[in-house]
Amino acid sequence: MHRLFIVALRAGIVAAIMAGLFGQIVVIPTTAADEVDRFPPYAPFATPYVTVAILGVACVQVALVAVWMLLAMVRRGAIFTPLAFRWVDTIIGSSVVATLLALGVTGHLALAQIPTPDDGMEVIGALGAAMVSVGVGAAFAMLMVIMRSLLRKATDLETEMAEVV
């Protein structure tokens, strides 16, 4: 892979991780506090939902670190080694955890009696967003499992070619 692409991808990863940290420290808690101030019946839901949101962002950050490590392996020409599977498994695991968090939110929104303000915002919109998040997360996890199997085949072929040569 061209060195410029790796540098650009790493810059994007750093930017995404920093944006995630800003979201975890500032945006998520502030938004939750503002919503509770605007509609006090949300108060019992603020802490659990903030926690889940921060954990969801952390899952993305873990996956980004794993991608960083895979990029380093590509640059060294060592992507077809067993160590690469650990990082791909980390991406799969973090996406599964994030999907399970979204599934928990979906279940809670579907089953709990959550009060809604009279400004037209309904829980159904949040439920729809949570359901879409579950679908996207599951699809991404399945895609990564397929990519892992392709990496396995490529690694096996690389090993076989090294033995022949």
Side-chain angles (χ1 to χ4, degrees):
M1 185 177 286
H2 195 272
R3 183 173 167 83
L4 181 63
F5 291 144
I6 292 174
V7 170
L9 286 170
R10 282 187 168 179
I13 289 170
V14 168
I17 288 173
M18 296 308 287
L21 283 173
F22 181 73
Q24 289 169 311
I25 295 168
V26 177
V27 175
I28 295 170
T30 303
T31 302
D34 290 347
E35 287 300 313
V36 169
D37 287 344
R38 224 171 45 100
F39 192 65
Y42 282 163
F45 305 104
T47 301
Y49 276 86
V50 165
T51 303
V52 168
I54 289 172
L55 289 173
V57 173
C59 288
V60 172
Q61 291 168 323
V62 167
L64 288 171
V65 169
V67 170
W68 179 284
M69 298 305 293
L70 287 169
L71 283 172
M73 294 179 78
V74 167
R75 200 179 89 197
R76 290 190 317 262
I79 192 69
F80 298 117
T81 61
L83 182 60
F85 293 99
R86 181 180 308 152
W87 295 114
V88 173
D89 289 343
T90 300
I91 296 170
I92 293 168
S94 67
S95 66
V96 167
V97 169
T99 302
L100 290 174
L101 288 170
L103 183 62
V105 169
T106 303
H108 184 260
L109 289 172
L111 300 174
Q113 294 295 329
I114 300 174
T116 59
D118 294 330
D119 65 356
M121 182 179 143
E122 299 291 330
V123 173
I124 195 76
L127 177 61
M131 289 172 63
V132 168
S133 296
V134 170
V136 169
F140 181 76
M142 289 186 282
L143 175 66
M144 290 310 300
V145 168
I146 290 169
M147 297 303 287
R148 185 187 191 284
S149 68
L150 291 173
L151 179 62
R152 167 66 60 203
K153 288 183 187 221
T155 302
D156 291 345
L157 285 172
E158 176 89 5
T159 303
E160 188 177 319
M161 291 299 289
E163 291 173 2
V164 170
V165 174

